[in-house]
Amino acid sequence: MALERYLTLYNRFAGELGAGATAEASLEQVAEALFCTERNAKLVLRKLTEEGLIDWRAGRGRGNRSHITFREDREKLLLDLSRQYAEDGEYNKAFHLLQTFGDGTAANEKFMDWMSGSFGFRKQPGKEADVLRLPIFKTVMTLDPADFVYSLCSHMIQQIFDRLVLLEQSTGQIKAGIAHYWEHNEDATVWTFHLRKGILFHGGQELTAGDVVFTAERLRNGGKRNSWIMRSLRTVEAVSERIVRFHLVRPNWLFLKYASSNVMAILPAGLMGQSEEQFWKKPSGTGPFQVEEWKDGKLLLGANPHYYQSRAHLDQVEIVHVPQAEAVRAGMINWQQLICDPTLRDVTAENGWIQIESKSLCTSLLSWNMQRVGPQHSDEFRRITNRLIDRSAMIRELSGYRDFPAKGFFPELMAVDDPAEDCLEPEEARRLLLEAGYDGAPLFLCAHPGHAEDVYWIQERLRRAGIQAEVRIEAPYTIHEVLHEVDLLFHALVFPEEEVSLIEGCEQEGSYLKELMSPELSRWTMESFDRALASEDPSIRKAIYTAVEERLKEEQQVYFLLHMKFHTDYHPSLKGVRINSLGWIDFKDIFRTS
């Protein structure tokens, strides 16, 4: 606290003068800078003087001013204190300190260089423990399966919790999870699961059918974002300690895939006797990793020694939240390239590195806010705007992992002879906009920082045609708060399981698709999905999904932009590296051979 107060006074009074400089500072000004009373300001000045950080000479008598001399270099002190916070695991404090006091110094860059050297594989000091420390540029907003939205949170939930059944990514087959056997009635309205014996929560208690009942009831009755998944549940019952039965209002031939979703990760009944707030500080699941610590920008996971599907090779995984702006400014490479010793940074095939890509894709979209008054309520305006965005040019000019133009939710690889996109040149677009009655009203275009490059590219395309679009970059956890002020939103969907993920994207509370489309269109999509779930025939379901997609395209409610694959690079000394359907690497099977 003393050092932070020193830095506060340094910024206020020393400025460009630097360490060793003497500046005029009245007691009243010191109190104002520290947001305290003059009495407390005297105590702070005395403390800083005793610690040798400042010299304070109080002016006595009328006309005699007080002076403060700063003895320590701000940059060195700031760097030392930030490192100390980081070593204590208080990363949020470290970054806050640098952002508050770092202007005009190289402390930020030096700290990020130091941080970068701490990522990758490590042996825990004094132990034969394998530790993987990774930086992430987004916030783990929740570990609650009933309340997550983003794929990052879903991935972390998947490391901590388990589901009744698992969807095998490579084959699309359902395999045993917590349940070792399952069955259903003739019309798929009753589903029964038989649970394994001996599965333990991280707290030590054995999982039973009561925990499954609690999880399902909490999803249905808890008013959570992901309550959509239990929308057709009539009742759920524990037939015995090892048998649980779901009774549905209407047929659901995809219920096994619902049961494999991270949304239905099984929680302990009653949250182990804790309140919601207490439990989610250190949640307990049955997954391969257990939460050891989650605070101050750090999520520390330890291997679950009792995991029923074999123990993880790693002993610990430490996830560190690095603000994206700081990471970009420091030129930090992607976390995917830090799953090895940080000395192995020359990521090229010639140096032995291996690149893999995911089978699943991320699809980027633009959604109009039809709840807000604006030119987007003109069908012709929306059509013209869509034709202004040349997907092929976007891929060509922005490069990266933008793979191919999207024609819908589900990826369709473009054939060589596919016709070129029907795009508009700016002058032609200006003429059509004038004919459509567009009056030049400005638009607010929003995205989170990870999509900033894309939205600025789109802004420039619109500008050339005379459409003024003001870009608003919001953190993922604040976008929902400003959605009513936004006309056009750039977002992306990951489809770990195509059918269920599409339904989730349109029905989840807080989903951008659901929140921005008209209420009538939202009702129609839900009715369409109910018809799809009632059909055992995959081709009939696919036809219904196509109809939903076509209507969204026809009404220009959503613009499908690009499909992107997930990639990672790793050194051959690493084994067990696979990209999961969420675009992340599952930690459980990674190990190092040298």
Side-chain angles (χ1 to χ4, degrees):
M1 183 64 75
L3 293 178
E4 288 192 31
R5 285 169 171 166
Y6 175 82
L7 290 168
T8 299
L9 295 178
Y10 192 114
N11 272 15
R12 171 66 176 81
F13 299 107
E16 298 296 324
L17 300 175
T22 299
E24 289 186 357
S26 69
L27 186 61
E28 182 182 5
Q29 289 172 323
V30 170
E32 181 183 333
L34 297 173
F35 297 100
C36 65
T37 63
E38 290 188 17
R39 181 174 179 276
N40 284 336
K42 287 181 180 178
L43 296 175
V44 171
L45 291 168
R46 184 184 305 161
K47 175 72 172 174
L48 295 179
T49 301
E50 290 171 356
E51 294 192 10
L53 293 170
I54 66 167
D55 288 327
W56 169 255
R57 296 194 302 280
R60 305 193 180 281
R62 182 174 297 177
N64 294 320
R65 297 177 179 268
S66 300
H67 293 83
I68 183 170
T69 301
F70 296 90
R71 300 173 63 87
E72 293 292 333
D73 178 69
R74 174 178 54 157
E75 182 178 300
K76 180 180 182 303
L77 198 64
L78 183 57
L79 193 56
D80 289 345
L81 186 55
S82 299
R83 286 179 176 177
Q84 182 182 324
Y85 280 146
E87 287 169 350
D88 292 340
E90 298 181 295
Y91 296 103
N92 283 348
K93 280 189 178 181
F95 287 114
H96 175 73
L97 195 70
L98 290 162
Q99 289 165 354
T100 305
F101 302 111
D103 284 350
T105 75
N108 248 310
E109 290 75 11
K110 290 179 180 178
F111 177 78
M112 291 303 292
D113 283 344
W114 174 79
M115 277 286 289
S116 294
S118 72
F119 292 122
F121 271 92
R122 288 286 182 278
K123 289 287 185 184
Q124 203 172 61
K127 298 181 181 178
E128 278 299 311
D130 293 310
V131 180
L132 178 59
R133 180 182 290 168
L134 294 174
I136 59 171
F137 308 146
K138 299 175 184 177
T139 304
V140 180
M141 296 167 62
T142 182
L143 293 175
D144 185 349
D147 226 21
F148 74 88
V149 175
Y150 296 104
S151 58
L152 166 62
C153 298
S154 183
H155 172 74
M156 297 306 173
I157 287 166
Q158 191 166 289
Q159 310 309 303
I160 300 163
F161 299 94
D162 264 315
R163 289 87 69 208
L164 287 170
V165 293
L166 307 175
L167 180 65
E168 193 171 61
Q169 184 183 353
S170 59
T171 65
Q173 299 298 308
I174 296 291
K175 63 179 186 177
I178 288 171
H180 65 87
Y181 178 75
W182 49 89
E183 53 194 330
H184 60 81
N185 66 348
E186 288 185 2
D187 66 353
T189 57
V190 179
W191 291 81
T192 304
F193 295 86
H194 299 255
L195 312 183
R196 296 178 192 256
K197 296 178 181 179
I199 295 182
L200 301 179
F201 284 101
H202 300 146
Q205 71 271 40
E206 187 172 359
L207 183 147
T208 68
D211 300 302
V212 180
V213 170
F214 170 81
T215 299
E217 293 284 9
R218 179 175 180 268
L219 271 167
R220 179 173 65 172
N221 301 322
K224 303 292 185 179
R225 288 183 188 273
N226 291 318
S227 293
W228 64 270
I229 205 165
M230 289 288 104
R231 184 163 64 85
S232 65
L233 180 66
R234 187 189 303 276
T235 60
V236 56
E237 60 174 324
V239 178
S240 70
E241 278 206 347
R242 300 278 168 252
I243 301 175
V244 63
R245 184 167 292 141
F246 293 82
H247 299 265
L248 309 181
V249 174
R250 60 185 71 88
N252 184 350
W253 288 97
L254 289 184
F255 195 74
L256 276 183
K257 289 186 176 180
Y258 272 37
S260 74
S261 167
N262 287 336
V263 171
M264 283 188 66
I266 306 303
L267 310 180
L271 302 181
M272 301 169 61
Q274 300 178 69
S275 67
E276 291 271 347
E277 183 181 2
Q278 289 172 324
F279 181 80
W280 292 112
K281 287 179 180 177
K282 193 176 180 180
S284 177
T286 62
F289 288 91
Q290 55 195 13
V291 177
E292 294 185 353
E293 186 180 349
W294 185 29
K295 64 177 184 179
D296 296 317
K298 178 178 78 172
L299 174 60
L300 184 62
L301 304 177
N304 174 7
H306 307 294
Y307 189 50
Y308 70 98
Q309 298 212 41
S310 78
R311 185 194 189 279
H313 301 302
L314 289 170
D315 297 292
Q316 275 190 337
V317 178
E318 184 177 355
I319 308 295
V320 179
H321 175 234
V322 179
Q324 189 156 9
E326 305 302 327
V328 170
R329 189 157 51 195
M332 181 180 283
I333 61 177
N334 290 335
W335 71 269
Q336 292 98 326
Q337 296 175 352
L338 287 166
I339 54 171
C340 198
D341 191 301
T343 59
L344 301 172
R345 289 282 177 80
D346 194 1
V347 184
T348 63
E350 290 76 14
N351 287 325
W353 285 77
I354 301 167
Q355 184 177 92
I356 55 174
E357 64 181 29
S358 63
K359 290 187 177 180
S360 59
L361 298 181
C362 175
T363 302
S364 60
L365 313 105
L366 278 172
S367 287
W368 286 105
N369 186 354
M370 303 308 287
Q371 314 295 327
R372 180 174 160 87
V373 174
Q376 64 266 33
H377 286 276
S378 161
D379 292 347
E380 188 60 23
F381 176 81
R382 297 199 304 277
R383 271 191 287 273
I384 295 166
T385 309
N386 189 16
R387 292 176 62 195
L388 275 169
I389 303 170
D390 185 336
R391 277 72 163 170
S392 296
M394 195 173 185
I395 293 168
R396 189 169 56 250
E397 294 172 20
L398 296 181
S399 64
Y401 291 129
R402 298 166 179 88
D403 288 284
F404 50 94
K407 295 181 178 180
F409 290 113
F410 301 130
E412 295 175 3
L413 289 169
M414 294 178 66
V416 176
D417 58 351
D418 273 353
E421 296 176 63
D422 182 21
C423 297
L424 283 174
E425 291 300 322
E427 288 307 315
E428 176 68 5
R430 285 177 181 272
R431 183 184 67 76
L432 292 174
L433 285 167
L434 191 63
E435 290 177 3
Y438 173 57
D439 61 2
L443 299 173
F444 289 93
L445 170 59
C446 185
H448 70 62
H451 297 144
E453 190 177 31
D454 298 83
V455 292
Y456 284 119
W457 187 93
I458 291 168
Q459 178 192 40
E460 174 59 20
R461 286 281 161 155
L462 298 181
R463 184 197 64 77
R464 293 177 193 173
I467 300 174
Q468 179 188 345
E470 182 176 325
V471 169
R472 183 166 183 171
I473 302 298
E474 290 281 341
Y477 48 85
T478 62
I479 285 182
H480 283 92
E481 298 171 12
V482 302
L483 214 51
H484 63 286
E485 302 172 3
V486 170
D487 298 297
L488 190 57
L489 180 73
F490 186 104
H491 57 116
L493 291 175
V494 179
F495 293 99
E497 199 297 306
E498 288 187 346
E499 295 183 83
V500 175
S501 300
L502 174 58
I503 295 170
E504 177 183 55
C506 292
E507 291 198 16
Q508 182 187 60
E509 288 302 318
S511 156
Y512 299 134
L513 279 176
K514 180 176 180 178
E515 288 202 16
L516 297 179
M517 70 174 66
S518 67
E520 187 276 329
L521 185 55
S522 180
R523 282 192 300 272
W524 179 82
T525 58
M526 290 174 70
E527 292 166 0
S528 299
F529 292 140
D530 283 342
R531 292 200 314 277
L533 295 173
S535 176
E536 188 178 3
D537 186 341
S539 64
I540 293 175
R541 294 199 301 268
K542 184 177 181 180
I544 293 172
Y545 305 144
T546 301
V548 170
E549 193 174 89
E550 288 303 315
R551 181 167 176 183
L552 288 174
K553 286 195 284 188
E554 181 185 335
E555 297 191 8
Q556 304 287 327
Q557 164 74 60
V558 173
Y559 300 165
F560 297 97
L561 298 179
L562 306 175
H563 290 309
M564 296 158 285
K565 293 181 181 179
F566 299 105
H567 298 75
T568 193
D569 301 275
Y570 68 96
H571 196 268
S573 64
L574 296 181
K575 305 300 178 186
V577 180
R578 295 178 186 85
I579 302 179
N580 64 27
S581 58
L582 293 163
W584 279 75
I585 293 172
D586 281 313
F587 305 136
K588 175 180 174 291
D589 297 322
I590 299 176
F591 66 98
R592 191 171 174 183
T593 58
S594 62

